[in-house]
Amino acid sequence: MLYLKQVILVIISFSSGVVIAGGVFAFIAMIGIVPRMAQKTNTEGHIVSYENAIIYGGIFGSLLMTFNFYLPIWYLSIIPALAIGVFIGAIAVSIAEILDVVPVFMRRASLKTGLGIFITSIALGKLFGSMVYFLAMMN
């Protein structure tokens, strides 16, 4: 009976994870992050590579959260922290761009220059936050 409960919990957990991951990927596709990023960086020919990186990143991230994965050398955590920071920064900037938050903020704050610095500071803040999070988890 105990094994049956565990099997049911595994099935429910896996199903919930699949639904949530599908929702996240649908959200990313809906707001058009991949084509917009490819257009901004003039790499339209690599859209399939971007999409594969998002899929593999989602799978790898799910595995890292499912299993207790430990990096014995603390500075190796910089690589996933950098990747997560870039991902979260790209999502934050894409959402802000789609909602026209940045142009409205720039107009309301009466800023004429510095849009690139503003966006870069958002991305670097997300990167720094991810690094702090992962370094804190290592201790």
Side-chain angles (χ1 to χ4, degrees):
M1 189 66 164
L2 179 66
Y3 292 117
L4 180 61
K5 287 182 182 179
Q6 290 176 341
V7 168
I8 290 172
L9 283 174
V10 166
I11 291 171
I12 290 171
S13 300
F14 181 76
S15 301
S16 300
V18 167
V19 168
I20 291 171
V24 169
F25 291 137
F27 176 71
I28 289 170
M30 182 182 73
I31 63 175
I33 289 176
V34 176
R36 185 75 173 153
M37 191 179 300
Q39 179 186 20
K40 287 288 189 181
T41 58
N42 295 324
T43 56
E44 289 89 358
H46 300 286
I47 288 181
V48 174
S49 298
Y50 286 147
E51 292 170 347
N52 288 336
I54 291 171
I55 291 169
Y56 293 139
I59 292 169
F60 184 66
S62 297
L63 289 174
L64 286 179
M65 291 191 167
T66 302
F67 301 108
N68 191 9
F69 186 78
Y70 177 73
L71 293 172
I73 303 172
W74 70 267
Y75 57 82
L76 289 179
S77 65
I78 292 172
I79 297 168
L82 179 66
I84 290 170
V86 168
F87 177 73
I88 291 174
I91 287 182
V93 170
S94 296
I95 291 171
E97 184 177 331
I98 286 175
L99 298 176
D100 289 331
V101 171
V102 175
V104 170
F105 174 77
M106 297 294 281
R107 188 172 50 247
R108 295 261 170 114
S110 299
L111 296 174
K112 303 296 180 199
T113 60
L115 179 62
I117 294 170
F118 178 71
I119 291 175
T120 303
S121 66
I122 291 173
L124 290 175
K126 293 294 181 180
L127 170 67
F128 180 72
S130 296
M131 289 181 68
V132 168
Y133 173 77
F134 276 100
L135 291 175
M137 286 189 58
M138 299 314 263
N139 294 329

